[in-house]
Amino acid sequence: MSAIKCVGILTSGGDAPGMNAAVRAVTRAAIYNGLKVKAIYRGYKGLITDEIEEFKTQNVSNIIGRGGTILKTARCKEFMTPEGRMQAYETIKKHDIDALVCIGGDGSLTGARIFASEFNFPIVGLPGTIDNDLFGTDSTIGYDTALNTIMDAVDKIRDTATSHERLFFIEVMGRDAGFLALNGAIATGCEAAIIPEIATETDQLGELISQGFRKSKNSSIVLVAESPITGGAIAMAERVKNEYPQYDVRVTILGHIQRGGSPSAFDRILASRMGAAAIDALLDDQRNVMIGVENDQIVYVPFNKAIKNDKPINRELLNTLRILSI
Ligand code: F6P
């Protein structure tokens, strides 16, 4: 018999499409297994300010297709301090919460790892971020939807790029990771992707674009991952404009539109599987792990591994992009 009778659930960090599907899955799987569920609002902040409510199955009705998170979310500075975490622990005890399921990205799971080890408290994490930058899972919740949003936007920009015969630099999110930029570029037939994992020189890029224009192309689109390393789309466009003044260059920053919208079928299914697996993991005495899916199998990834920030870019994809952009 597991000692866990009551599970707290929260979403933290940047919202991601599919977080609601995960909240639904955790809630329903917990209740199915005879556990109580306490919903914590505004991420770790709600643990400090005591914004907690018991959830029944009907609290999560009709949310599987909704973007954002019904639990709200925050990036909580107080939780980074020992005093803040102590306050959070007091709230957890007050509400008789025996374990937590935390849904969020890199920063949120780092917070979970610290809290779990400080208070020897059981936590299971779910990877909820559009960035796909957590190690140990093929995909994070929200990544597929964001990729589709990018695809839609770039397809539309392609229409105007072709009509005006322009060179576009389009900036996508990803914090310090190039998964959205690289896969977005392949999905939309872009000429190149500028990602933080791979250094790209302006002359290399300029040559590639010139080659395209010399042949049959009358427009080009380059996806740029936001990042201090790439400098983002504005910096890249400036450099290319200076060296290749013959091009009519434009920049679009897609921004927070990438985090919104109804989750794709892929994300809804991923979130549902991962949410149910989080409860299985807790009942199975798993502690301080993130749920991942690798090769279609649920896996448990220790927090330290998941957040080490070294999920590799698949170099075969880079090569494919290069070959197909001639
Ligand atoms: O981590 C998700 C993410 O959307 C990143 O891609 C981006 O760098 C960051 O969040 C933006 O955060 P905020 O909404 O706080 O500006």
Side-chain angles (χ1 to χ4, degrees):
M1 269 291 276
S2 163
I4 295 172
K5 307 240 169 324
C6 175
V7 180
I9 174 169
L10 60 83
T11 51
S12 164
D15 62 316
M19 277 185 165
N20 281 328
V23 170
R24 170 181 178 270
V26 172
T27 303
R28 295 222 164 143
I31 293 172
Y32 177 87
N33 282 287
L35 308 180
K36 262 192 180 181
V37 178
K38 298 273 173 91
I40 299 150
Y41 288 93
R42 298 179 178 78
Y44 297 119
K45 187 162 181 273
L47 279 180
I48 294 171
T49 51
D50 194 354
E51 296 178 80
I52 296 181
E53 165 190 19
E54 183 169 349
F55 259 19
K56 304 286 186 193
T57 56
Q58 58 272 25
N59 287 97
V60 293
S61 296
N62 302 325
I63 64 166
I64 194 166
R66 274 169 62 184
T69 161
I70 62 161
L71 297 185
K72 316 290 182 199
T73 186
R75 301 190 194 277
C76 178
K77 288 219 167 66
E78 294 103 297
F79 197 72
M80 291 176 188
T81 66
E83 298 75 29
R85 291 193 293 274
M86 178 51 82
Q87 181 62 50
Y89 186 62
E90 294 300 328
T91 311
I92 281 177
K93 281 199 299 189
K94 177 178 154 196
H95 287 272
D96 293 323
I97 295 171
D98 306 310
L100 282 178
V101 176
C102 300
I103 308 168
D106 193 46
S108 308
L109 298 191
T110 302
R113 182 183 62 77
I114 296 169
F115 187 83
S117 70
E118 252 172 16
F119 296 97
N120 190 24
F121 192 79
I123 306 189
V124 167
L126 295 189
T129 166
I130 64 164
D131 300 344
N132 200 31
D133 58 349
L134 290 162
F135 182 87
T137 189
D138 292 339
S139 193
T140 54
I141 297 166
Y143 170 63
D144 180 70
T145 308
L147 203 48
N148 278 286
T149 302
I150 290 169
M151 187 179 73
D152 259 20
V154 176
D155 282 351
K156 290 191 170 105
I157 293 172
R158 176 74 72 186
D159 291 344
T160 176
T162 320
S163 305
H164 283 270
E165 304 186 291
R166 282 175 170 160
L167 163 60
F168 266 86
F169 288 89
I170 303 177
E171 184 173 301
V172 299
M173 280 186 167
R175 205 180 286 272
D176 293 320
F179 298 97
L180 285 171
L182 178 55
N183 285 292
I186 293 179
T188 53
C190 281
E191 278 52 48
I194 312 287
I195 59 174
E197 292 87 345
I198 309 285
T200 311
E201 301 305 330
T202 321
D203 50 352
Q204 249 175 289
L205 180 66
E207 184 44 35
L208 188 118
I209 293 163
S210 310
Q211 263 178 33
F213 275 104
R214 270 202 298 273
K215 290 184 194 156
S216 54
K217 292 189 182 187
N218 63 4
S219 70
S220 281
I221 299 184
V222 176
L223 282 204
V224 187
E226 59 163 3
S227 138
I229 300 172
T230 65
I234 294 177
M236 206 66 206
E238 275 314 310
R239 297 216 293 270
V240 169
K241 249 198 288 192
N242 284 339
E243 288 175 43
Y244 302 86
Q246 68 272 33
Y247 297 131
D248 190 9
V249 177
R250 291 292 185 277
V251 172
T252 303
I253 296 174
L254 294 187
H256 287 80
I257 193 172
Q258 295 163 92
R259 289 224 300 250
S262 175
S264 64
F266 182 90
D267 276 330
R268 295 181 197 197
I269 295 165
L270 184 70
S272 300
R273 289 180 71 190
M274 285 180 162
I279 296 301
D280 283 347
L282 284 172
L283 293 177
D284 196 25
D285 249 1
Q286 291 288 331
R287 300 285 180 269
N288 313 332
V289 291
M290 180 193 84
I291 304 295
V293 169
E294 276 187 328
N295 301 321
D296 208 31
Q297 298 298 313
I298 293 283
V299 291
Y300 299 147
V301 191
F303 281 149
N304 310 348
K305 277 198 167 175
I307 58 189
K308 250 177 54 197
N309 209 9
D310 56 2
K311 184 172 184 175
I313 279 282
N314 180 348
R315 293 202 169 235
E316 178 215 308
L317 293 176
L318 274 170
N319 205 29
T320 303
L321 177 64
R322 196 176 53 76
I323 293 168
L324 301 185
S325 68
I326 55 169

